[in-house]
Amino acid sequence: MSIDPKTLAAHPDRVAILENIEKASTRMVCQAVLDFSEIAKKQFTLAKDLAGTVGEDVTRDAMDSMGMSRIPTARLIGTIDYKRAAYCFDPSYSIRQALLVDSKAEKGGVGNMTIQIAQTSLHVRMELRGNIIDVPGQVEQVLAVDDGSYLATTIFVKYGYEVQGNGDNKLNEIYVVALPNGMLQDLYNPSAADGIWMVGRNAPTLINEDLRVRVSFAKLKAKKKWRVQRIAIDPAIRFAWED
């Protein structure tokens, strides 16, 4: 059975299908990044003030190393670092997927990650400076491309590093974080009081600036552990998938 992404919102098994697709995609991204973790460690040491660029390059190389059932006729556009249109296969169905993987390089391990509203298909429902906000994400839940419709899957790779006394960057950990598709809004962020967000680095004086928020790893893991995977850059710590 082939599922048209446009019909998924009304599908009786919508939640199970979406969770299955996003979990499988997270496993793939996690494995790709894990395979490249030693390369990432070396590249960050050499990066100096180019940590963000190195993170993007490592993620692209890692993802390109994975075999996917790509759809070469579909070209995805946008500011996400890595974009691929592919078929996602399950024993019970197939579906067209727009896999969007973005990279973040941030100093320290603070248990969260900053994203822009343009990088999610979820509404951001939270309290901000004493006000309740409900801001729609700017990624479409289903992307329309020339040859068809594609289910948007958004995954982030956060490289947590520190700057040492000699100016070198030391990569400490990598997080692979899967944000839910907006069709799962009611499970992950039904209200301002029940969500996955923290206040982000916004500049209140910039009226036209797009909203930035932080994804709380603890809040997201409380919903589903597998949505946040940590890869320690330490050979003594063996990676274990959290389910």
Side-chain angles (χ1 to χ4, degrees):
M1 175 182 67
S2 179
I3 298 176
D4 182 345
K6 295 195 302 294
T7 69
L8 193 53
H11 197 288
D13 296 325
R14 175 187 77 253
V15 171
I17 291 171
L18 284 166
E19 294 271 275
N20 185 52
I21 291 170
E22 293 179 349
K23 188 174 185 178
S25 300
T26 304
R27 280 189 180 275
M28 179 178 65
V29 175
C30 197
Q31 185 62 58
V33 174
L34 180 62
D35 289 346
F36 271 70
S37 59
E38 280 300 312
I39 293 174
K41 178 181 177 181
K42 294 175 183 176
Q43 290 297 310
F44 265 81
T45 300
L46 299 172
K48 299 297 184 183
D49 58 347
L50 298 174
T53 300
V54 168
E56 294 170 9
D57 289 345
V58 170
T59 298
R60 288 195 193 99
D61 289 345
M63 292 305 302
D64 282 340
S65 72
M66 301 299 287
M68 285 187 285
S69 301
R70 301 184 181 186
I71 304 174
T73 56
R75 309 297 295 177
L76 304 178
I77 60 174
T79 59
I80 300 291
D81 295 336
Y82 181 89
K83 305 172 287 292
R84 284 294 179 269
Y87 288 107
C88 182
F89 292 105
D90 180 90
S92 301
Y93 59 82
S94 65
I95 192 168
R96 292 187 176 196
Q97 178 189 39
L99 180 61
L100 310 174
V101 184
D102 202 69
S103 303
K104 309 287 182 182
E106 298 181 6
K107 295 178 185 178
V110 292
N112 61 66
M113 174 186 70
T114 300
I115 71 161
Q116 300 172 28
I117 197 68
Q119 296 177 314
T120 180
S121 61
L122 288 164
H123 280 237
V124 172
R125 295 171 178 164
M126 64 181 293
E127 183 176 337
L128 180 61
R129 294 190 289 273
N131 298 311
I132 301 299
I133 66 168
D134 186 341
V135 182
Q138 295 176 8
V139 175
E140 297 292 333
Q141 296 174 7
V142 175
L143 303 182
V145 188
D146 289 343
D147 63 341
S149 301
Y150 295 78
L151 176 68
T153 302
T154 53
I155 298 176
F156 296 85
V157 182
K158 176 189 171 181
Y159 298 88
Y161 71 98
E162 62 180 288
V163 180
Q164 298 181 300
N166 61 1
D168 288 347
N169 295 324
K170 180 185 177 186
L171 183 63
N172 293 322
E173 57 194 359
I174 305 173
Y175 286 93
V176 177
V177 183
L179 279 190
N181 184 279
M183 287 184 239
L184 295 172
Q185 182 79 44
D186 289 344
L187 289 179
Y188 288 89
N189 186 205
S191 68
D194 183 1
I196 60 175
W197 312 109
M198 300 168 58
V199 176
R201 302 177 206 166
N202 288 293
T205 57
L206 299 180
I207 298 174
N208 295 322
E209 182 187 51
D210 285 340
L211 177 68
R212 294 186 182 186
V213 293
R214 298 177 194 261
V215 181
S216 167
F217 295 164
K219 290 180 179 180
L220 185 54
K221 288 184 72 171
K223 299 285 187 179
K224 285 290 175 67
K225 278 188 176 182
W226 60 261
R227 287 192 176 272
V228 180
Q229 301 292 330
R230 179 180 181 270
I231 299 171
I233 308 303
D234 183 341
I237 302 176
R238 184 179 178 86
F239 172 74
W241 172 270
E242 286 200 72
D243 215 14

